[in-house]
Amino acid sequence: MRWRSLRVKLVLVYTLLILFAVELIGAYFVRALTSSLIHNQAAAAKNQAQLMATLVAPQIQSDAKSVGTSITTVLQSVPQFLNGTVYVLNQDGYVMYTTAGGALIGQKRIDSVATEALLHHSNAQSVRYDPVSKSHLLAIAVPIELHGSYLGILEYVLSIQSTYETIHQATSIFYTGSMGVLVLTVILGMVVARALTRPVLEVTRQAQIMAKGDFSKRLTVSGNDEFGELVASINHLADELDEALASNRLEQERLRAVITSMGEGVIVLDSSCQVLMMNRAARQMLRTAANEEDEALALLELDDMAKADVSSGVRQVRVVGNAIFHIILTSIQRRGQIDGFVAVVRDVTEQEQLEQARRDFVSNVSHELRTPLTTVKSYIEVLRDLDDDEHATRKEFLGVIAEETDRMVRLTRDLLQLSGLDRGGSKAFALQALRVQPLLAGVAQRFALQASRQQLTYRVHGPTEASLAVYGDSDMVNRVLDNLISNALKYTAPGGEIDVYVKAADEVVTFAVSDNGIGIPAEDLPHVFERFYRVEKGRSRRRGGTGLGLALAREMVERMGGEIRIVSQPNQGTTAYVSLRRAEEGTL
């Protein structure tokens, strides 16, 4: 990671450029210095060689026998020229004279410089390294001429090792200085790179912090250059992103609050129909419908619905347990692909039950009215055909018509009473404290004669406390008790017994109406308070019942804040219990 740093890259590139420039300049400098020094020394040596050739030319031509002595005399007269070795060669390349020793005289000189000069009768020079003396030697050969005649060549060989040492010293000084400059360049490069990359590093750190969701920090703008503009842009971007994300979070919180508080269930699924989110209403619906959420979700069959074309929404009705759900499934599109689904689940169980109850109510009312109306119509048609002397038959038929009319009047009255209670809703009644003893005395008086006619034993047991009282509405309490006693009279055979008594507790007073009549089967007990419900289809109708008495009694008792329940055994009897709140003695 360190080698990938922009700072390292800048220093490395900067250093390599300087190093390349130094190497290039150094190579040129060394080459130029070497060429210049050797050229100057070669020029001086060449002048010396030409001068010596001019001096020895007359000696060679004058006396061949004493040529060595004469040349030595001439050369010794100018000792400043004898820094090197001198070879005087004739036209064939044989040594005529040399300062290197008499042993070489008469031998043929075959080095490259001498050979080139002999072949071309011109100047020749070369530089070579002598491994014996471990030094560089400069060899210069010049032709020896006198009055236009070519006499031979003079080869002048001298050591130029001092020149190379000078070049080496100069090169060492140059490269040492270059290394110092390079080190200084690296240091300066690091300083410059740090200064250049600091804003970039700060921007990078700020970007990393922003990537983690923290937009609270801001960078300091340190200049008006491009980096300053970059820092200002990053700060502006952080402000915009912070504001956008804050707005997005607010919208998400609002959406979450709306979804959570919705009365309808919302289920969010991914593209593979796995549940991502479920609001509180959906969980409550599923837990109510089934023991486990997973089981309820499986029964909703959302994966099957997702296989259809859900772009415009798919609507289905599912029954889970005792609940009925209406489901709308819609897809979530992202870049033309389905990214998930949203299912809106609505519990329509109550609506369906109310709709069914409405249909049943209309059907029951129609049925209840149709029977007496049919009977009345039939008897009226017969009455039209009776003769004037059939008074007994006419009287009997008119009695039947009157009974059926009373039955329709009772049905209409009960329906109006139920409708009035329903419209009352949760409106509180003006409850007052009622003494129990007068209530039971009225009950005993109203039904004593009817019980006697039906040959029934009718007993009303008064309270042991004369001050015992309950909270309620006088008319409603009497109607509830009358309804229960009327039912007991209807369904108890002659010779039976009916008892009305009271049980007092700390907070409630319970009225009980007990008989030993035909009773109610266990499967019918949960439904006896439903409207128009009959244990036997024709039983209540034969006795003039409407099927609304117990429904009315329950509505009235609940409006007074009490409870009503029935306990019964077939062929053993029925006991109805009405519990009302007990009134304190000081309230009477």
Side-chain angles (χ1 to χ4, degrees):
M1 295 297 294
R2 181 176 298 177
W3 289 103
R4 299 179 183 178
S5 171
L6 179 61
R7 182 182 301 172
V8 174
K9 290 180 179 179
L10 285 175
V11 173
L12 184 61
V13 171
Y14 185 69
T15 303
L16 289 176
L17 288 176
I18 296 299
L19 181 61
F20 176 76
V22 168
E23 289 293 331
L24 184 63
I25 294 173
Y28 177 77
F29 170 76
V30 171
R31 180 182 294 274
L33 179 63
T34 302
S35 177
S36 176
L37 292 177
I38 294 177
H39 179 271
N40 292 335
Q41 196 161 4
K46 181 179 179 182
N47 291 333
Q48 293 177 359
Q50 288 178 345
L51 178 58
M52 286 188 290
T54 302
L55 292 176
V56 300
Q59 305 302 324
I60 295 173
Q61 189 175 24
S62 63
D63 188 5
K65 294 182 179 180
S66 59
V67 64
T69 303
S70 60
I71 291 175
T72 301
T73 303
V74 172
L75 292 180
Q76 286 179 350
S77 64
V78 283
Q80 65 271 22
F81 294 157
L82 299 179
N83 295 328
T85 303
V86 178
Y87 296 91
V88 178
L89 308 180
N90 60 16
Q91 296 178 357
D92 298 325
Y94 291 96
V95 178
M96 299 172 60
Y97 172 81
T98 178
T99 60
L104 297 177
I105 295 175
Q107 295 186 6
K108 190 175 181 66
R109 182 97 174 151
I110 58 173
D111 65 310
S112 59
V113 175
T115 302
E116 182 180 357
L118 289 171
L119 290 175
H120 300 287
H121 296 178
S122 62
N123 299 332
Q125 72 178 33
S126 69
V127 177
R128 69 177 184 274
Y129 180 75
D130 184 13
V132 177
S133 61
K134 297 182 179 179
S135 62
H136 290 80
L137 301 178
L138 172 64
I140 296 177
V142 296
I144 301 174
E145 296 178 349
L146 183 64
H147 305 299
S149 300
Y150 175 70
L151 302 178
I153 63 171
L154 183 141
E155 183 179 0
Y156 185 33
V157 180
L158 72 161
S159 174
I160 57 173
Q161 185 62 32
S162 60
T163 302
Y164 274 90
E165 290 177 355
T166 301
I167 294 173
H168 178 71
Q169 292 177 356
T171 304
S172 299
I173 294 172
F174 175 81
Y175 281 109
T176 301
S178 299
M179 289 301 297
V181 172
L182 186 61
V183 172
L184 181 61
T185 300
V186 171
I187 295 174
L188 293 177
M190 293 177 64
V191 174
V192 173
R194 182 184 296 273
L196 290 176
T197 58
R198 182 183 295 112
V200 177
L201 295 177
E202 291 178 354
V203 169
T204 302
R205 285 192 292 269
Q206 177 69 6
Q208 292 173 348
I209 294 174
M210 291 168 57
K212 296 177 181 178
D214 184 6
F215 300 95
S216 59
K217 296 183 179 180
R218 297 294 182 270
L219 299 175
T220 302
V221 180
S222 57
N224 297 324
D225 54 3
E226 290 82 356
F227 289 114
E229 294 179 359
L230 176 61
V231 170
S233 299
I234 288 295
N235 289 337
H236 180 68
L237 176 62
D239 293 336
E240 293 295 328
L241 287 177
D242 192 15
E243 183 178 354
L245 288 178
S247 177
N248 188 26
R249 283 193 295 268
L250 180 60
E251 291 298 327
Q252 288 181 349
E253 291 298 327
R254 290 176 179 173
L255 180 60
R256 185 178 298 275
V258 170
I259 292 176
T260 302
S261 60
M262 284 178 60
E264 296 179 340
V266 177
I267 303 174
V268 180
L269 311 171
D270 60 11
S271 57
S272 60
C273 291
Q274 297 297 318
V275 177
L276 298 178
M277 191 200 73
M278 188 184 305
N279 69 346
R280 185 169 53 246
R283 294 186 183 278
Q284 184 63 32
M285 290 179 188
L286 296 179
R287 290 172 183 172
T288 303
N291 295 328
E292 299 289 339
E293 286 185 7
D294 295 339
E295 178 184 354
L297 280 171
L299 293 175
L300 290 181
E301 299 178 354
L302 297 178
D303 50 348
D304 291 339
M305 295 178 61
K307 296 177 181 178
D309 184 10
V310 294
S311 57
S312 59
V314 176
R315 292 167 172 80
Q316 294 288 342
V317 176
R318 295 283 189 268
V319 178
V320 180
N322 295 325
I324 303 173
F325 296 129
H326 180 261
I327 306 171
I328 302 177
L329 185 69
T330 307
S331 64
I332 302 174
Q333 301 286 336
R334 183 180 181 185
R335 297 177 181 176
Q337 300 293 328
I338 295 179
D339 195 43
F341 305 92
V342 175
V344 179
V345 182
R346 186 160 56 96
D347 189 350
V348 296
T349 306
E350 185 177 354
Q351 291 90 323
E352 290 293 329
Q353 290 175 347
L354 289 175
E355 182 65 22
Q356 186 62 37
R358 184 190 65 81
R359 290 193 293 265
D360 293 343
F361 180 79
V362 173
S363 176
N364 289 328
V365 171
S366 301
H367 182 72
E368 292 295 332
L369 290 176
R370 182 182 62 187
T371 300
L373 285 173
T374 302
T375 302
V376 169
K377 183 178 186 232
S378 300
Y379 276 86
I380 290 175
E381 290 175 353
V382 174
L383 284 174
R384 289 175 181 173
D385 297 334
L386 290 177
D387 296 333
D388 293 339
D389 57 350
E390 297 183 58
H391 298 290
T393 304
R394 181 177 288 107
K395 184 177 180 180
E396 180 184 354
F397 282 12
L398 289 174
V400 174
I401 292 174
E403 289 178 359
E404 295 298 328
T405 302
D406 290 339
R407 180 180 169 189
M408 286 188 290
V409 170
R410 289 194 302 272
L411 176 62
T412 305
R413 181 194 63 199
D414 291 344
L415 288 173
L416 289 175
Q417 289 176 350
L418 280 173
S419 177
L421 291 173
D422 290 339
R423 287 197 303 271
S426 60
K427 181 177 67 178
F429 290 88
L431 303 180
Q432 58 183 348
L434 304 174
R435 288 187 181 275
V436 174
Q437 191 172 16
L439 291 174
L440 294 182
V443 167
Q445 183 180 3
R446 287 195 297 273
F447 292 96
L449 181 58
Q450 184 178 352
S452 176
R453 289 177 180 176
Q454 294 182 217
Q455 301 176 5
L456 299 173
T457 300
Y458 178 62
R459 294 181 294 267
V460 179
H461 307 275
T464 58
E465 303 176 25
S467 62
L468 184 64
V470 295
Y471 285 112
D473 180 83
S474 177
D475 182 56
M476 284 189 178
V477 173
N478 282 311
R479 287 165 65 183
V480 170
L481 294 176
D482 289 353
N483 184 282
L484 297 177
I485 296 172
S486 296
N487 285 342
L489 292 173
K490 288 177 185 178
Y491 302 114
T492 303
E497 298 178 356
I498 298 175
D499 291 284
V500 180
Y501 55 90
V502 175
K503 293 181 179 180
D506 293 338
E507 296 182 358
V508 297
V509 175
T510 301
F511 297 87
V513 178
S514 178
D515 65 66
N516 59 355
I518 61 177
I520 302 173
E523 62 271 15
D524 294 316
L525 275 177
H527 306 286
V528 294
F529 292 108
E530 296 178 5
R531 299 176 185 184
F532 298 107
Y533 186 82
R534 291 185 175 87
V535 177
E536 295 179 7
K537 298 302 180 182
R539 186 173 75 166
S540 295
R541 191 175 295 114
R542 290 194 303 268
R543 291 173 171 81
T546 61
L548 298 174
L550 290 178
L552 271 170
R554 184 181 66 174
E555 292 288 339
M556 293 177 184
V557 171
E558 289 179 352
R559 290 297 188 274
M560 292 185 290
E563 294 181 356
I564 183 172
R565 61 189 179 91
I566 292 178
V567 178
S568 181
Q569 291 290 334
N571 302 319
Q572 294 184 16
T574 302
T575 301
Y577 298 95
V578 177
S579 299
L580 299 175
R581 289 185 299 130
R582 182 173 181 171
E584 299 178 0
E585 294 182 4
T587 59
L588 296 173

